[in-house]
Amino acid sequence: MSETADLTAARNRAVIMEELRRLMPGAEELRTALPLGLFAIDSHLPQGGLACGALHEIVPDGERATAAAFGFIAALLTRLPRTRRLVFVMPGYGQRHLGRLSGHGLKALGLDPVRVIMVETAHRTQTLWAMEEALRSGAPAAVAGMIDKLDLKLSQRLHLAATDCGLPLLLIRPARDLESSAAATRWRIGTAEAARDRFGLFVRPGWRLH
């Protein structure tokens, strides 16, 4: 890459980050940990919760549990400051059969869909770029999303981006071919029966966590 191209790329990144900060105020509200609100889990985590400046892997226990994994992430994100937006990076390639985020579903889990900015990507390089740029902007309260493949090198790259910016990155990755990773935690998510009210409607979701 030429010096001129490097300078242009740096200027473009600066413009993008400035625009993200303008659209998503409140970036000064930084936290060091994100508690789950359950002593049995938080007591075993450093600083009483998930480290904010880190990559956390969410692994569905089978493809049918992918929706449960997204629900688990949404439930976690409700514990972050409500004044800041959240970025979801969703790959459009190879995952279309899983559908898209549902505003009604997010709201049922306590997450206001108005807070969510969804970025849909067409290739893994776009997915990585979008996640890193969202993190390095420092504007959202957290970045979440999905990736089709993650090796040690890519996990180190994403973990460093999250560490540098002090923001949590919650990343769904497939259960197949789980390799070594730089993630601070890895959660395997399975489905569990939800609590229902007397009319048979869901009132409280549940997950199996490992």
Side-chain angles (χ1 to χ4, degrees):
M1 185 179 290
S2 67
E3 184 175 347
T4 302
D6 285 337
L7 183 59
T8 300
R11 285 174 176 168
N12 288 342
R13 171 174 285 188
V15 170
I16 291 170
M17 289 185 174
E18 184 61 32
E19 183 66 6
L20 282 170
R21 292 189 181 101
R22 184 185 70 80
L23 293 172
M24 296 187 282
E28 68 281 356
E29 299 176 13
L30 299 177
R31 302 178 65 172
T32 58
L34 173 60
L36 278 71
L38 297 170
F39 179 77
I41 299 178
D42 291 336
S43 61
H44 292 284
L45 295 172
Q47 299 178 322
L50 296 180
C52 280
L55 165 65
H56 301 281
E57 292 180 354
I58 314 297
V59 182
D61 192 8
E63 188 170 287
R64 293 182 61 185
T66 301
F70 274 112
F72 177 69
I73 288 178
L76 284 178
L77 295 179
T78 62
R79 308 191 64 79
L80 286 167
R82 296 177 181 271
T83 56
R84 297 173 64 186
R85 298 292 184 92
L86 305 162
V87 174
F88 274 80
V89 181
M90 302 293 295
Y93 51 95
Q95 305 294 335
R96 295 192 184 278
H97 64 289
L98 298 175
R100 289 182 168 87
L101 292 179
S102 163
H104 293 295
L106 293 175
K107 197 166 185 178
L109 290 164
L111 183 62
D112 186 353
V114 173
R115 297 179 60 199
V116 175
I117 295 177
M118 193 177 82
V119 180
E120 188 168 290
T121 58
H123 193 273
R124 189 183 306 120
T125 55
Q126 293 181 358
T127 302
L128 292 169
W129 181 88
M131 289 178 179
E132 288 185 279
E133 292 302 305
L135 287 168
R136 296 191 187 284
S137 73
V143 178
M146 173 186 280
I147 196 164
D148 62 331
K149 185 177 180 181
L150 188 69
D151 57 24
L152 179 59
K153 185 176 180 180
L154 287 181
S155 71
Q156 289 173 332
R157 177 174 161 183
L158 292 172
H159 181 68
L160 285 173
T163 300
D164 289 345
C165 307
L167 296 177
L169 172 57
L170 305 175
L171 184 62
I172 293 179
R173 60 172 300 181
R176 63 181 184 275
D177 302 325
L178 282 180
E179 303 177 21
S180 298
S181 170
T185 64
R186 175 183 287 169
W187 301 78
R188 187 179 287 273
I189 309 298
T191 58
E193 187 175 356
R196 298 173 182 263
D197 63 15
R198 61 193 180 94
F199 301 106
L201 301 175
F202 295 118
V203 293
R204 188 169 63 250
W207 299 271
R208 290 187 296 107
L209 308 180
H210 295 277

